[in-house]
Amino acid sequence: MNNNQLIFSCLLILVSCFMLHRLLTFPAYAENNISLGISPALITVEAIPPANPKITITIENKGDNPENIQVRLLPFRPSEKEDGQIEYLNENSTPRSYKNIFEKIHLTDNGIITTNFELGPKQKKDLELQSLIFKEEPAADYYFSIVFITSPNP
């Protein structure tokens, strides 16, 4: 791989709705249907620095109730077992290069960085995955999931 080239791979695994929190914390509310649609399901970006790639992600609440949604970017790497599985990285196991690149990756709503938002019933929202890749960035692949965590609207 050419040192002047950065291949920035973003894998959006659709853990489209991480419902465990809701099911354990709000069992009565969990009886209602939760249905989020997220598109695209997989994103790969190849960027030659300097670059500022922007990818639109559409999220839709297909349910009948408003949803509070929290967004997390979770880095991962292929499993050392080489069995097609992935291993999510925690704070201690995340390499410094990932930490540096994650300071430059954001999900925005109309240009404003967002980590949570509300989505009404049958409502769609376009978010933008933005990253800023400087010329000095080392050539590497970066993998992460964008996880949308729902909680009931009070």
Side-chain angles (χ1 to χ4, degrees), residues 57-111:
I57 298 172
T58 302
I59 182 166
E60 178 181 7
N61 179 359
K62 296 180 178 184
D64 296 325
N65 297 305
E67 299 290 343
N68 287 317
I69 300 172
Q70 182 181 33
V71 181
R72 298 248 174 104
L73 303 179
L74 300 177
F76 67 86
R77 65 176 168 225
S79 170
E80 292 178 6
K81 297 176 185 175
E82 298 182 1
D83 60 358
Q85 300 296 312
I86 61 172
E87 295 173 356
Y88 282 100
L89 305 173
N90 61 34
E91 185 66 29
N92 296 331
S93 65
T94 302
R96 186 71 195 135
S97 60
Y98 264 67
K99 291 177 183 178
N100 289 340
I101 203 77
F102 268 88
E103 292 172 0
K104 301 170 196 135
I105 300 173
H106 306 285
L107 205 58
T108 64
D109 183 7
N110 292 317

Side-chain angles (χ1 to χ4, degrees), residues 79-148:
S79 170
E80 292 178 6
K81 297 176 185 175
E82 298 182 1
D83 60 358
Q85 300 296 312
I86 61 172
E87 295 173 356
Y88 282 100
L89 305 173
N90 61 34
E91 185 66 29
N92 296 331
S93 65
T94 302
R96 186 71 195 135
S97 60
Y98 264 67
K99 291 177 183 178
N100 289 340
I101 203 77
F102 268 88
E103 292 172 0
K104 301 170 196 135
I105 300 173
H106 306 285
L107 205 58
T108 64
D109 183 7
N110 292 317
I112 300 170
I113 295 173
T114 187
T115 57
N116 55 59
F117 57 93
E118 184 177 312
L119 201 57
K122 312 298 183 208
Q123 182 183 2
K124 282 186 183 181
K125 181 179 282 287
D126 286 336
L127 302 171
E128 195 168 64
L129 181 64
Q130 296 183 353
S131 57
L132 187 56
I133 303 168
F134 297 110
K135 190 172 185 173
E136 307 81 36
E137 293 293 339
D141 291 341
Y142 299 94
Y143 300 98
F144 59 97
S145 297
I146 302 173
V147 181
F148 297 91

Side-chain angles (χ1 to χ4, degrees), residues 13-68:
I13 294 181
L14 273 188
V15 181
S16 64
C17 183
F18 186 84
M19 296 184 294
L20 183 59
H21 173 73
R22 173 175 281 175
L23 294 174
L24 295 176
T25 311
F26 303 99
Y29 190 81
E31 293 175 5
N32 295 323
N33 290 335
I34 304 166
S35 181
L36 293 181
I38 301 170
S39 177
L42 177 67
I43 299 169
T44 302
V45 177
E46 292 185 29
I48 299 172
N52 187 12
K54 298 176 182 180
I55 296 95
T56 300
I57 298 172
T58 302
I59 182 166
E60 178 181 7
N61 179 359
K62 296 180 178 184
D64 296 325
N65 297 305
E67 299 290 343
N68 287 317

